[in-house]
Amino acid sequence: MTIARENTKILPVDIWIIDVVPGGDCPAEGAAEVLSRQELAQAARFRFPEDARRFLFRRRALRKILSRYFQLPPRELVFSTNKNGKPRVSINQSGEGGWEFNFSHSRDVAILALVRGEEVGIDVEYALKPMPDLYDVLQVVCRPAEVRTFQTLPKAWHQQAFFKLWTIKEAYLKALGTGLSREPDTVHLKIVRGNDDVIMTFDASEERGWQFITFEARPGYLATLAMQTEKKIEISRFRFSNCQETGSIGR
């Protein structure tokens, strides 16, 4: 976990990578003892049992990790949301700034980012799934200038570049607290071809101060962290696997 640092120019961020095991059971903890009635009811509404099991596992992992930071038993965490659905833990926090978090999931991976006193957004996507409609989707989530620049990239880069673009836009909107209630094509990115990768930054001067850190959460899974800060972001990564915290996996 993040500890206090004296360097005020550094912003520590903890990122938890969760290996989702549908139906995985935490020792001595049943879902009813950890989750709220609302979460159990939501799980019951899934059409497919596999999706319900994934949901239950993710929610239990989320509560178990957050309980360490908020120093409450997992079952006692109470969540509230803003008008667009961004969650936070309802608790009075004192000290250097309360914990803020953001959560995302895709297939067998979920990811959780935590930071003190700053808004944060994170998104993860499985980047190896077939995308026969990639160019159609691109037209929907991008403005024409972005599409034109994107199409100048080597075709072999398109799949990975698309998911980088998408995770940046979604992480940014989640950090703002709007989520996809704001259309992704209203977020304008400058796309530049590098030597062996594509560089994406904001294309508007009023969006200065935003940092995007894109990384591979697990083989095949691309994630982006978004924060508006002038500080240097220092990430500590942790893994939650086999329904337990397995410790730090480095920076």
Side-chain angles (χ1 to χ4, degrees):
M1 289 175 59
T2 301
I3 58 174
R5 294 173 172 84
E6 299 209 1
N7 190 344
T8 58
K9 295 182 179 180
I10 299 291
L11 181 61
V13 178
D14 285 0
I15 290 182
W16 286 83
I17 298 168
I18 301 163
D19 297 321
V20 178
V21 183
D25 226 316
C26 299
E29 292 181 344
E33 283 74 45
V34 177
L35 303 183
S36 68
R37 284 181 296 177
Q38 291 87 347
E39 288 166 318
L40 294 173
Q42 186 174 348
R45 290 194 292 269
F46 279 95
R47 181 178 179 183
F48 299 107
E50 183 82 352
D51 293 334
R53 288 192 291 268
R54 288 175 187 272
F55 171 81
L56 289 170
F57 186 93
R58 291 194 302 265
R59 297 302 300 183
R60 294 169 74 185
L62 174 65
R63 282 182 173 271
K64 189 168 184 180
I65 296 169
L66 289 180
S67 70
R68 292 176 49 130
Y69 291 80
F70 292 94
Q71 299 181 346
L72 285 172
R75 182 68 174 81
E76 294 183 17
L77 292 169
V78 177
F79 298 96
S80 61
T81 60
N82 70 7
K83 64 179 182 179
N84 295 306
K86 185 176 183 180
R88 54 176 25 98
V89 173
S90 298
I91 185 175
N92 291 326
Q93 302 180 73
S94 59
E96 59 182 295
W99 287 106
E100 299 290 343
F101 74 93
N102 200 230
F103 189 60
S104 179
H105 60 87
S106 180
R107 294 199 181 191
D108 295 330
V109 169
I111 196 163
L112 172 66
L114 293 113
V115 63
R116 278 195 177 275
E118 302 280 353
E119 293 293 343
V120 60
I122 198 161
D123 186 52
V124 65
E125 300 290 343
Y126 180 64
L128 298 181
K129 61 184 176 184
M131 286 284 294
D133 59 346
L134 187 152
Y135 301 106
D136 294 331
V137 176
L138 200 66
Q139 299 280 347
V140 174
V141 302
C142 293
R143 60 176 178 158
E146 289 173 306
V147 174
R148 288 194 296 272
T149 307
F150 186 96
Q151 290 175 334
T152 66
L153 299 173
K155 194 164 186 179
W157 292 15
H158 283 191
Q159 174 105 354
Q160 197 77 354
F162 170 80
F163 282 105
K164 183 173 185 177
L165 178 145
W166 176 258
T167 58
I168 287 175
K169 290 196 175 197
E170 185 159 354
Y172 167 68
L173 293 174
K174 292 174 75 178
L176 286 181
T178 66
L180 293 177
S181 65
R182 173 177 164 183
E183 295 296 334
D185 65 345
T186 65
V187 181
H188 302 159
L189 293 179
K190 183 178 181 181
I191 302 171
V192 178
R193 175 179 175 176
N195 291 331
D196 54 5
D197 193 12
V198 57
I199 301 165
M200 298 183 187
T201 58
F202 268 128
D203 195 22
S205 59
E206 65 269 18
E207 303 288 11
R208 287 175 184 166
W210 281 90
Q211 296 186 48
F212 304 118
I213 300 175
T214 301
F215 58 96
E216 192 175 55
R218 217 176 73 180
Y221 290 84
L222 201 66
T224 292
L225 174 78
M227 296 191 68
Q228 188 176 28
T229 178
E230 299 295 337
K231 297 179 181 179
K232 179 182 178 182
I233 296 173
E234 184 176 271
I235 293 175
S236 296
R237 299 191 202 185
F238 303 86
R239 185 172 294 281
F240 187 96
S241 186
N242 298 321
C243 215
Q244 62 184 344
E245 301 145 20
T246 58
S248 173
I249 54 174
R251 292 176 176 166

